[in-house]
Amino acid sequence: MTQQPRIDTSPHVSDEVRKTTCYMCACRCGINVHMKGGKVAYIEGNRDHPVNKGVLCAKGSAGIMQVNAPSRLRAPLKRVGPRGSGEFEEISWDEALQIACDWLEPIRKTDPSKLAFFTGRDQSQSFTGYWAQNFGTPNFAAHGGFCSVNMAAGGIYTMGGAFWEFGQPDWDHTKLFMLFGVAEDHDSNPIKMGIGKIKARGARVIGVNPIRSGYNAVADDWVGITPGTDGLFVLSLIHELMRAGKIDLDYLARYTNAPVLVNADPDSPEHGLFLRDTDGKPTVIDRDTGKLTAFDTPGVRPDLGATHEVDGITHRPVMHLMAERYLDPQYAPEAVAERCGVTPDKIRRIAAEIARVAFEEEITLDHEWTDFRGETHKTMTGRPVSFHAMRGISAHSNGFQTARALHVLQIILGTVEVPGGFRFKPPYPKPVSAHPTPHCKSAPNSPLDGPHLGFVRGPEDLALKEDGTPARIDKAFTWENPMSAHGLMHMVISNAHAGDPYKIDTLFMYMANMSWNSSMNTRGVMEMLTDTDENGDYVIPRIIYSDAYSSEMVAYADLILPDTTYLERHDCISLLDRPICEADAAADAIRWPVVEPDRDVRGFQTVLVQLANKLKLPGFTTEDGTPRYRDYADYIVNHERKPGIGPLAGFRGDGADVGRGAPNPAQLDRYIENGGFFVSHIPEGANYYKPWNMAYQDWAVGMGIFDTPQPYIFDLYAEPMRRFQLAAEGYGDRQPPDHLRDRIKSTMDPLPIWYPPLEDDSIDTEEFPIHALTQRPMAMYHSWGTQNAWLRQIHGENPLYLPTKLWEKHGFRDGDWARVTSAHGEITVPVAHMAALNENTVWTWNAIGKRKGAWALSEDAPEATRGFLLNHLIHELLPEKGDGLRWSNSDPITGQAAWFDLRVRIEKVQAPTESQPAFAPVKSPVGQGPDHLEWKVEK
């Protein structure tokens, strides 16, 4: 008998498991890091974690390769060659910190606004913003301005929260799930788990996206919409629902400003503003008494139809304005179908399905609750239709109004914060009134007068200097982008280069690959970063950059502060920032050094603490200059944003306090013992109707989310937007420039509208008839994954996908290449056929293309020879229209970068040797990685 080989079917995998939080995307899943001989052996999901419950995607598992990547920076670097050459010398941390202080200290003493400090996709913006505030510069923001500020701001101005980190569908009860433009790398595990759960129950999924991949590929129905028309499609659904009477009138009367009275006199300086009582509260007519009263008066039953006259001026409820707006034939399916690329019958069918599920399959839970007017309800009624959306609808110049339209659709159905609908995650919902306004008053040697970012209520909150010019380098919170809640990171370099609105001295960036895939106008940005003036000095004098890897941006910095990888540092996923909460619980988490760095690197947040100590920044040092914090871990534990409220909500005081409590020296140890996270569940009966449920409001006060209850009603009609329109009409002390008046009046409508993407008005759409998009692959998160030895085997290159109509029209075959031209530039790239695609749209995966020499990849790597970026076709400014102005390629309300407005033409060309444009290789401080990356982990 042949002897069988002996196989160890249960090998010794690890001698220790260290639990922490993944950083391979913004999902923030819990992971078990298996250690063997002090090294990472493999990574699996943590089954006890509230986010992923043990599920882990390819990105998360591949974190082991991220921590061992050859592209990791190894030590602080000082530029010794020309900027852009990639020529550096290694220096000590003492020297690096001293150089940074020598550049920053004079700025702080004379004019802190000369520092522009902008961070990329880090998850510690409450901390980095606090650092910038104490430095005193008004110039701080993170990447939201070129990612998804339309989604966040649109949601907060409408209902106090939005999709993604603000909330989630009620996966346990929803019966119809509809998603719009969702990036497949964001929140991927919870969405996949949720879709699996609802499909197992027989619930239906409808996907609205020009591209049918990922979530849309498993949807029961796919709407291959024309890019940039999502808002028009949604408004047509609203039209059909209102026309059929399929809206929740009781919900609208109780929980929204639909019954609030609005000044209807076009000649009044308060036209379009709410009628308020002596306490400043919006008023309604009580349906029982017929009397005028504040919206929150105990026992009031707001009337959706009553008008009221004061001093000869008629005031009409918001509901009247909505009916006039959305019952207009311009929103009928026949009127929008051709533009949206969706047939009238399909629009009607989807509207009918939404109505049927919402009103014929309602859910009732036997949970008693008391609302903010003091009325006790015996049950909770839900309409089991839920929605989810992300960057696809957001990254257009009409994205803010589109996001608002989608929220209005949810609200008129009565599906927000009810069983089966969309539910907020703590610390949301938060009304606009609970958020700060932006601050911009900067003075020598002083902290800024308040937080940089916030939510304006009107022109009085704009970030303008006394002479009316922008106070911020990115022109956020100005008449050009009044409600830019996340800043405009994509405009920082071009504005700094132009000296408009002023010149800066130092550009300080973290994890922002602005010379490559994070910029519009990549070639132009590279030229701006290296441009010199007539004296031979760089136009942007100094650039400090921090990253963990040798990205394309490294070559353009003067000083490199090397970051750790995510398994080598402390991080705080905080309720003050971007927490990991679920709809039924408040939760936060940490990362901690499960392995020690084998290089001379430091976590960026710790470096900021060390810089703050050397600069003696208030907030980080005592009055005598003594440091308050040693490093970021010390800050996480001991910092208090206000008494008893710190970065982490769990294990405060003696370890038993939750939400509020004194700093606990053992807090991080308690988190580590608990798997790296903390959860506090919302009491049963308090977990729905959060904006109006007093049990939830009281719980939120106890958690430190609010100091006092903050109940509010949803803003179908956004009064702050009307205040800007009034200014554009000539009312008020603070007036916009004349050339912006018409744009403000037309775009800042307080009820959601749709207008064509601005690029369509700036170019000849017959010359550039095709829409061009990028999409995030599930296996990559932004640019980080394409240098990962495992993940790049999934996406080592990216073709341009063409729909059948264009594929056949141009006679393409497998292996062909195309020249793609926009009003700004051209690329030559490989193409592939995809049938499940809007017939007038081409697309590719985002950020796969790499510049030769970066990321420790070989110069003939497929990412550098066949990979490419659509960024080369996009500009931060719109093409000239002949009016003497160059308008920002952004949403005119929030300033969000309009990446997805891109229009192109294509033509078949002979295949080149590599994709074009091909830039000269950059010299990398880490060199090229080995051909084979392998090692054995053992004791």
Side-chain angles (χ1 to χ4, degrees):
M1 182 176 179
T2 306
Q3 185 174 359
Q4 294 296 315
R6 291 186 177 182
I7 300 174
D8 184 358
T9 57
S10 299
H12 180 69
V13 175
S14 58
D15 46 43
E16 183 183 3
V17 176
R18 299 177 179 176
K19 299 176 184 290
T20 187
T21 306
C22 188
Y23 199 22
M24 295 299 287
C25 80
C27 195
R28 288 99 29 102
C29 295
I31 53 175
N32 296 339
V33 182
H34 287 257
M35 308 295 296
K36 198 171 184 182
K39 294 183 179 181
V40 179
Y42 84 104
I43 299 172
E44 66 174 351
N46 179 355
R47 297 188 180 191
D48 298 322
H49 199 273
V51 171
N52 59 315
K53 300 176 177 61
V55 174
L56 199 62
C57 66
K59 296 189 298 292
S61 297
I64 186 173
M65 306 307 290
Q66 207 77 4
V67 174
N68 291 282
S71 57
R72 293 169 299 159
L73 296 170
R74 297 164 186 161
L77 301 167
K78 179 174 68 174
R79 179 177 59 81
V80 294
R83 194 182 287 171
S85 67
E87 296 174 9
F88 294 93
E89 67 176 12
E90 291 190 1
I91 57 176
S92 68
W93 273 104
D94 286 344
E95 184 178 356
L97 293 174
Q98 190 59 52
I99 291 172
C101 287
D102 289 345
W103 293 352
L104 296 175
E105 192 165 24
I107 295 173
R108 184 165 186 272
K109 288 182 176 179
T110 56
D111 184 358
S113 68
K114 295 293 185 182
L115 169 66
F117 178 52
F118 285 76
T119 67
R121 295 171 183 88
D122 70 295
Q123 295 165 11
S124 58
Q125 290 162 30
S126 68
F127 169 76
T128 50
Y130 185 73
W131 188 94
Q133 184 179 337
N134 279 279
F135 186 91
T137 179
N139 295 316
F140 166 80
H143 83 292
F146 65 65
C147 183
S148 59
V149 65
N150 277 336
M151 185 56 61
I156 287 174
Y157 274 107
T158 308
M159 60 181 192
F163 300 115
W164 179 202
E165 290 157 330
F166 302 85
Q168 66 187 111
D170 187 353
W171 299 115
D172 291 329
H173 297 105
T174 194
K175 298 180 181 179
L176 177 62
F177 177 47
M178 197 167 180
L179 69 166
F180 292 73
V182 176
E184 296 176 8
D185 64 331
H186 283 69
D187 206 23
S188 58
N189 289 330
I191 290 178
K192 286 181 287 190
M193 293 159 61
I195 289 176
K197 180 181 286 187
I198 65 174
K199 286 180 77 71
R201 290 201 315 271
R204 278 174 49 79
V205 178
I206 300 176
V208 182
N209 196 312
I211 306 158
R212 190 168 195 180
S213 64
Y215 310 127
N216 291 278
V218 299
D220 299 286
D221 198 356
W222 171 59
V223 180
I225 198 163
T226 300
T229 66
D230 304 81
L232 192 57
F233 171 68
V234 169
L235 293 176
S236 189
L237 294 176
I238 291 172
H239 170 92
E240 285 295 289
L241 291 166
M242 293 185 74
R243 190 178 65 85
K246 296 297 185 179
I247 58 177
D248 192 330
L249 296 176
D250 183 66
Y251 184 98
L252 290 170
R254 290 177 182 273
Y255 308 129
T256 80
N257 67 6
V260 168
L261 296 167
V262 179
N263 184 315
D265 182 359
D267 296 323
S268 168
E270 295 185 345
H271 177 225
L273 299 184
F274 295 151
L275 178 63
R276 297 176 181 270
D277 67 8
T278 54
D279 293 326
K281 293 181 178 181
T283 58
V284 299
I285 297 295
D286 188 333
R287 194 167 61 205
D288 291 339
T289 66
K291 293 183 178 180
L292 185 72
T293 184
F295 77 95
D296 60 350
T297 301
V300 68
R301 297 177 64 81
D303 194 324
L304 289 171
T307 62
H308 185 74
E309 187 172 305
V310 178
D311 297 331
I313 295 177
T314 299
H315 293 78
R316 305 170 62 200
V318 167
M319 194 68 204
H320 280 199
L321 307 181
M322 292 181 62
E324 286 182 357
R325 169 69 53 82
Y326 301 125
L327 289 174
D328 191 291
Q330 68 173 309
Y331 297 116
E334 288 81 5
V336 309
E338 183 177 0
R339 192 183 285 271
C340 293
V342 186
T343 66
D345 286 346
K346 187 155 194 171
I347 295 172
R348 286 196 181 90
R349 179 168 54 78
I350 291 173
E353 184 174 5
I354 291 171
R356 179 186 58 78
V357 175
F359 294 97
E360 296 179 21
E361 300 186 26
E362 68 179 28
I363 296 170
T364 300
L365 302 181
D366 291 326
H367 293 318
E368 184 176 287
W369 67 286
T370 301
D371 69 26
F372 67 110
R373 295 187 180 100
E375 183 177 350
T376 297
H377 307 260
K378 296 297 183 182
T379 60
M380 294 178 168
T381 300
R383 308 205 179 278
V385 179
S386 59
F387 298 85
H388 183 67
M390 199 50 206
R391 188 168 178 258
I393 71 167
S394 183
H396 293 282
S397 52
N398 57 23
F400 178 80
Q401 290 285 23
T402 293
R404 289 205 69 232
L406 183 53
H407 295 313
V408 168
L409 173 60
Q410 295 188 96
I411 292 167
I412 66 170
L413 290 166
T415 64
V416 179
E417 262 306 315
V418 299
F422 173 82
R423 305 176 64 198
F424 292 112
K425 301 177 184 179
Y428 294 92
K430 287 184 181 181
V432 169
S433 59
H435 290 270
T437 55
H439 294 74
C440 63
K441 289 192 171 84
S442 178
N445 225 31
S446 300
L448 202 68
D449 61 331
H452 302 80
L453 306 176
F455 293 84
V456 300
R457 280 57 151 175
E460 67 277 8
D461 295 326
L462 292 177
L464 301 174
K465 296 181 179 179
E466 292 184 4
D467 62 2
T469 59
R472 292 174 52 104
I473 189 65
D474 60 355
K475 300 186 182 180
F477 308 110
T478 66
W479 294 107
E480 293 186 25
N481 325 276
M483 303 171 83
S484 44
H486 289 176
L488 284 79
M489 190 169 179
H490 60 292
M491 296 303 298
V492 171
I493 291 172
S494 56
N495 287 359
H497 177 263
D500 177 20
Y502 48 79
K503 291 186 176 296
I504 65 168
D505 179 272
T506 299
L507 176 64
F508 190 1
M509 287 191 161
Y510 171 51
M511 203 186 298
N513 200 10
M514 299 305 291
S515 74
W516 198 245
N517 62 284
S518 292
S519 271
M520 299 169 153
N521 185 20
T522 44
R523 185 188 298 273
V525 167
M526 287 185 271
E527 292 172 354
M528 294 175 203
L529 293 172
T530 56
D531 193 22
T532 57
D533 60 20
E534 62 276 8
N535 299 319
D537 298 323
Y538 288 115
V539 174
I540 301 176
R542 298 179 179 89
I543 300 175
I544 305 173
Y545 183 55
S546 179
D547 202 324
Y549 304 99
S550 182
S551 66
E552 285 87 355
M553 183 62 193
V554 166
Y556 293 91
D558 306 310
L559 178 66
I560 301 293
L561 306 175
D563 192 18
T564 63
T565 65
Y566 72 100
L567 294 184
E568 300 170 323
R569 65 160 175 260
H570 283 98
D571 271 331
C572 178
I573 302 102
S574 168
L575 286 171
L576 301 178
D577 207 334
R578 305 170 66 185
I580 61 164
C581 299
E582 295 296 301
D584 288 319
D588 56 18
I590 65 166
R591 297 185 188 92
W592 58 283
V594 299
V595 291
E596 291 297 322
D598 58 359
R599 310 162 320 284
D600 192 14
V601 297
R602 297 180 184 178
F604 178 67
Q605 291 79 10
T606 285
V607 171
L608 285 184
V609 171
Q610 293 169 342
L611 284 172
N613 292 343
K614 288 178 71 68
L615 293 166
K616 300 189 185 306
L617 299 187
F620 288 87
T621 51
T622 62
E623 290 184 3
D624 65 3
T626 304
R628 293 183 185 272
Y629 315 110
R630 296 183 309 276
D631 51 24
Y632 189 44
D634 194 12
Y635 171 93
I636 292 171
V637 170
N638 291 303
H639 175 68
E640 291 181 281
R641 195 53 55 99
K642 54 188 175 183
I645 305 296
L648 292 173
F651 312 112
R652 301 193 66 80
D654 62 0
D657 293 342
V658 174
R660 298 177 183 270
N664 173 13
Q667 188 179 40
L668 292 180
D669 292 334
R670 293 295 305 275
Y671 269 81
I672 293 169
E673 292 166 6
N674 198 55
F677 66 91
F678 169 79
V679 174
S680 177
H681 290 278
I682 301 170
E684 188 174 12
N687 49 354
Y688 290 99
Y689 296 96
K690 293 185 183 82
W692 321 293
N693 188 332
M694 292 312 297
Y696 172 80
Q697 293 288 320
D698 291 340
W699 175 85
V701 171
M703 279 295 299
I705 294 171
F706 301 130
D707 287 336
T708 60
Q710 300 283 324
Y712 64 99
I713 53 177
F714 290 160
D715 289 321
L716 298 165
Y717 182 99
E719 191 184 35
M721 300 180 73
R722 179 59 193 152
R723 296 184 185 279
F724 284 102
Q725 282 187 321
L726 281 172
E729 293 166 10
Y731 297 104
D733 296 331
R734 188 170 256 190
Q735 290 288 297
D738 288 341
H739 71 278
L740 290 173
R741 290 184 187 274
D742 287 343
R743 189 172 85 163
I744 292 169
K745 287 187 283 186
S746 64
T747 62
M748 296 194 70
D749 198 298
L751 286 175
I753 58 171
W754 183 86
Y755 51 86
L758 299 184
E759 181 160 322
D760 289 2
D761 293 332
S762 304
I763 62 171
D764 181 350
T765 55
E766 292 186 2
E767 182 182 0
F768 303 104
I770 301 167
H771 299 270
L773 303 175
T774 59
Q775 190 162 274
R776 305 285 188 195
M778 283 190 181
M780 301 288 181
Y781 178 59
H782 297 284
S783 64
W784 301 344
T786 43
Q787 49 84 31
N788 183 293
W790 287 354
L791 297 178
R792 60 188 294 249
Q793 296 178 56
I794 302 173
H795 293 288
E797 56 186 82
N798 55 311
L800 183 71
Y801 292 100
L802 274 60
T804 302
K805 175 183 172 181
L806 295 176
W807 183 264
E808 294 178 347
K809 175 182 177 180
H810 293 277
F812 284 109
R813 297 289 182 268
D814 288 344
D816 283 347
W817 289 60
R819 180 183 296 117
V820 187
T821 307
S822 72
H824 172 60
E826 68 178 39
I827 59 176
T828 303
V829 298
V831 295
H833 177 220
M834 181 176 178
L837 178 58
N838 176 276
E839 67 174 14
N840 205 39
T841 299
V842 298
W843 75 280
T844 192
W845 295 118
N846 181 274
I848 301 300
K850 290 284 176 276
R851 187 167 176 185
K852 293 178 181 179
W855 300 98
L857 298 175
S858 64
E859 292 187 11
D860 62 353
E863 292 90 342
T865 56
R866 294 177 61 88
F868 64 92
L869 303 177
L870 282 188
N871 305 55
H872 305 314
L873 299 177
I874 307 173
H875 201 286
E876 74 273 9
L877 301 175
L878 290 170
E880 294 183 22
K881 296 194 299 181
D883 57 5
L885 301 172
R886 291 297 302 274
W887 301 83
S888 173
N889 187 12
S890 308
D891 188 300
I893 300 170
T894 64
Q896 172 163 347
W899 297 95
F900 295 163
D901 287 354
L902 178 63
R903 300 288 290 262
V904 301
R905 66 172 183 266
I906 62 172
E907 55 188 308
K908 183 178 177 180
V909 296
Q910 185 174 352
T913 56
E914 57 188 20
S915 58
Q916 300 294 319
F919 295 91
V922 292
K923 186 176 180 180
S924 170
V926 301
Q928 182 179 317
D931 292 336
H932 300 282
L933 188 62
E934 60 182 73
W935 64 94
K936 188 172 184 180
V937 179
E938 59 185 352
K939 276 193 171 181

